[in-house]
Amino acid sequence: MAKRKIVLEGDEVLRKKCRPVDQFDQKLWELLEDMSDTLYGSGNGVGLAAPQVGILRRVVVIDVGEGLIELCNPEIIAQSGKQTGNEGCLSSPGEYGIVTRPRKVKVRALDRHGKPFEIAGEDLLARAFCHEIDHLEGRLFKDIAERMLDEDEK
């Protein structure tokens, strides 16, 4: 489809809460395709939320190297454990921080056709789920970072 421009930190759209998806139609499918093209075109991202392309809808795409995951109206329904590590964001290029997230999460979402499903993730996938769902609430990783990394720590 088309690669979209990634909204950078400082744009107010990244701080707004997204509206639920209520129509599962061609327009949504095109958004999902554009978001996956944008994610893959970024070169180093593992996830992208709709507000990062300027759309205030509860839509996320993730690929941690195991294939594309599309989530509409995702919510974390279970979490356990803890992991602390480096985290960055396509909307804050070149910036990284130390962030603690759950080690395991279970997410309930709808697919591109509106069919409900649940998916579990550990480690990087759990981190990606949490990071991208935070975007849908207007939160950035920097909001919960224990500290930001200096240039020589990245």
Side-chain angles (χ1 to χ4, degrees):
M1 296 297 294
K3 185 176 172 189
R4 296 193 185 201
K5 183 178 180 205
I6 295 176
V7 173
L8 298 179
E9 184 180 1
D11 190 311
E12 66 182 36
V13 74
L14 293 175
R15 292 299 185 171
K16 293 186 176 181
K17 189 171 180 171
C18 294
R19 296 182 308 275
V21 173
D22 54 9
Q23 293 190 341
F24 299 83
D25 55 10
Q26 188 65 38
K27 187 174 178 181
L28 172 67
W29 302 338
E30 288 173 8
L31 173 61
L32 286 163
E33 296 296 327
D34 288 356
M35 286 175 62
S36 64
D37 286 350
T38 304
L39 174 63
Y40 292 134
S42 74
N44 62 351
V46 297
L48 190 68
Q52 291 182 275
V53 293
I55 306 295
L56 289 172
R57 288 285 187 232
R58 298 187 72 79
V59 177
V60 166
V61 295
I62 294 172
D63 190 344
V64 295
E66 301 168 3
L68 186 68
I69 300 168
E70 298 176 338
L71 305 170
C72 299
N73 301 338
E75 60 179 318
I76 295 172
I77 58 171
Q79 57 186 333
S80 64
K82 199 160 63 167
Q83 60 172 317
T84 300
N86 294 2
E87 197 165 310
C89 181
L90 292 173
S91 291
S92 302
E95 297 185 66
Y96 299 89
I98 303 295
V99 179
T100 298
R101 301 269 192 192
R103 194 174 85 70
K104 295 180 181 182
V105 298
K106 183 185 275 188
V107 174
R108 179 181 298 136
L110 303 174
D111 71 11
R112 64 171 44 218
H113 303 287
K115 181 181 175 191
F117 69 99
E118 293 181 1
I119 185 169
E122 294 184 27
D123 303 320
L124 180 58
L125 184 54
R127 182 176 294 279
F129 283 151
C130 293
H131 180 108
E132 300 309 331
I133 291 171
D134 273 356
H135 272 299
L136 305 180
E137 297 297 325
R139 286 189 300 265
L140 301 178
F141 82 99
K142 292 177 170 186
D143 298 340
I144 60 168
E146 295 166 25
R147 70 181 180 87
M148 296 303 291
L149 297 178
D150 293 329
E151 194 63 39
D152 59 335
E153 295 178 287
K154 296 177 186 173

